[in-house]
């Protein structure tokens, strides 16, 4: 998403069916019953008018923003006058709003919890690492997006310029190959999230510095949260072992306090 210009390429061909599916889903949401908390517990609301009002107050505008065809708007606005006002760059930034559709994942995950037979501990681990993978992808797209905000024609150094010296004899340059840019961005974001340290990739201008600052803050919080929750979940996956180890620790402390002879501890 962050590497591409407005147009009808391969990625846009993949996005069109997705937009169509989400558009159909948006329409269907006006007919899907929802649960409402009452004095007698939860009850299903089947009234079409009530369903429409509830959806309009909750997820409608978020879902609507996620299906706006910003690529098509960018194509329609490709003119010299528009380029002078950098409107195309704004439209490319607005493509990030398509990530709002991932907020639906909370609803999908809730439905999966009901129908799955695996333990909640295993499900939580799967959820944590899935979100970590998605966050890595999103931050990589954001890092690629800096190449769209600051273009080569602006005459400003960019992080991708560092590969030019090592690719003098390479036919397909990294800056001209979307999948190479994505791999390098994933590599960069991965060692940023895991706090391994910086090496051959780093910010070269003020825009990249600002984006990287935001990436570091988000990555640090996400990595701390995932590590803490994963360690807590793993430690509680075998409650019988935890209880046994706790009992044995109490027993050993009691025998030490009572000065029990070593031969009686066996």
């Amino acid at each position: 998403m962050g590497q591409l210009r407005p147009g009808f390429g391969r990625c846009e061909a993949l996005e069109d069916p997705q937009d169509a599916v989400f558009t159909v889903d948006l329409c269907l949401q006006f007919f899907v019953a929802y649960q409402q908390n009452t004095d007698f517990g939860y009850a299903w609301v089947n009234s079409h008018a009530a369903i429409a009002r509830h959806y309009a107050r909750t997820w409608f505008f978020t879902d609507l923003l996620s299906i706006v065809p910003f690529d098509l708007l960018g194509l329609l606005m490709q003119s010299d006058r528009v380029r002078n006002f950098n409107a195309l760059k704004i439209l490319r930034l607005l493509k990030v709003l398509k990530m709002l559709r991932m907020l639906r994942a909370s609803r999908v995950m809730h439905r999966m919890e009901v129908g799955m037979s695996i333990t909640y501990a295993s499900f939580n681990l799967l959820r944590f690492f899935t979100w970590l993978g998605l966050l890595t992808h999103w931050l990589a797209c954001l890092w690629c997006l800096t190449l769209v905000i600051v273009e080569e024609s602006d005459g400003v150094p960019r992080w991708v310029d560092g590969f030019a010296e090592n690719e003098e004899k390479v036919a397909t340059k990294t800056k001209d190959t979307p999948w190479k840019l994505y791999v390098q961005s994933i590599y960069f974001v991965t060692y940023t999230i895991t706090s391994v340290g910086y090496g051959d990739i780093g910010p070269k201008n003020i825009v990249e510095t600002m984006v990287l600052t935001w990436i570091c803050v988000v990555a640090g919080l996400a990595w701390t949260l995932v590590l803490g929750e994963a360690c807590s979940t793993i430690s509680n996956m075998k409650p019988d072992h935890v209880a046994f180890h706790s009992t044995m620790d109490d027993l050993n402390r009691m025998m030490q306090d009572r000065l029990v002879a070593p031969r009686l501890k066996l």
Side-chain angles (χ1 to χ4, degrees), residues 29 50 207 217:
Q29 291 299 321
V207 173
V217 172

Side-chain angles (χ1 to χ4, degrees), residues 88-238:
L88 285 179
K89 292 184 179 181
I90 297 175
L91 287 175
R92 292 165 190 167
L93 287 174
L94 289 177
K95 287 183 67 178
V96 178
L97 292 176
K98 284 185 174 289
M99 288 167 42
L100 290 173
R101 66 180 53 167
M102 295 307 300
L103 293 176
R104 300 185 183 192
S106 60
R107 290 174 280 177
V108 176
M109 298 289 270
H110 178 70
R111 295 170 188 170
M112 290 175 60
E113 289 181 12
V114 178
M116 297 179 69
S117 59
I118 64 175
T119 61
Y120 275 97
S122 301
F123 183 80
N124 285 336
L125 281 179
L126 177 63
R127 181 177 61 182
F128 294 146
F129 288 109
T130 299
W131 278 113
L132 183 61
L134 287 174
L135 180 65
T136 302
H137 167 72
W138 292 338
L139 294 180
C141 290
L142 181 61
W143 184 242
C144 282
L145 190 62
T146 59
L147 301 178
V148 178
I149 300 174
V150 180
E151 297 181 342
E152 187 175 5
S153 59
D154 295 335
V156 179
R158 304 184 302 169
W159 65 267
V160 75
D161 297 337
F163 299 104
E165 182 178 353
N166 298 327
E167 294 180 334
E168 293 180 354
K169 299 181 179 180
V170 178
T172 55
K173 310 296 184 182
T174 298
K175 65 178 182 179
D176 302 322
T177 311
W179 73 266
K180 285 187 176 182
L181 286 174
Y182 181 71
V183 170
Q184 294 290 351
S185 298
I186 288 290
Y187 160 70
F188 170 76
V189 169
T190 299
Y191 66 62
T192 299
I193 292 179
T194 55
S195 304
V196 174
Y198 290 99
D200 50 345
I201 300 178
K204 301 298 183 181
N205 54 64
I206 186 62
V207 173
E208 293 175 0
T209 302
M210 293 172 61
V211 171
L212 181 57
T213 301
W214 171 250
I215 289 177
C216 288
V217 172
V218 175
L221 293 175
W223 186 243
T224 302
L225 177 62
V226 169
L227 278 184
E229 293 293 339
C231 292
S232 176
T233 301
I234 292 174
S235 64
N236 293 323
M237 288 185 69
K238 297 181 179 180

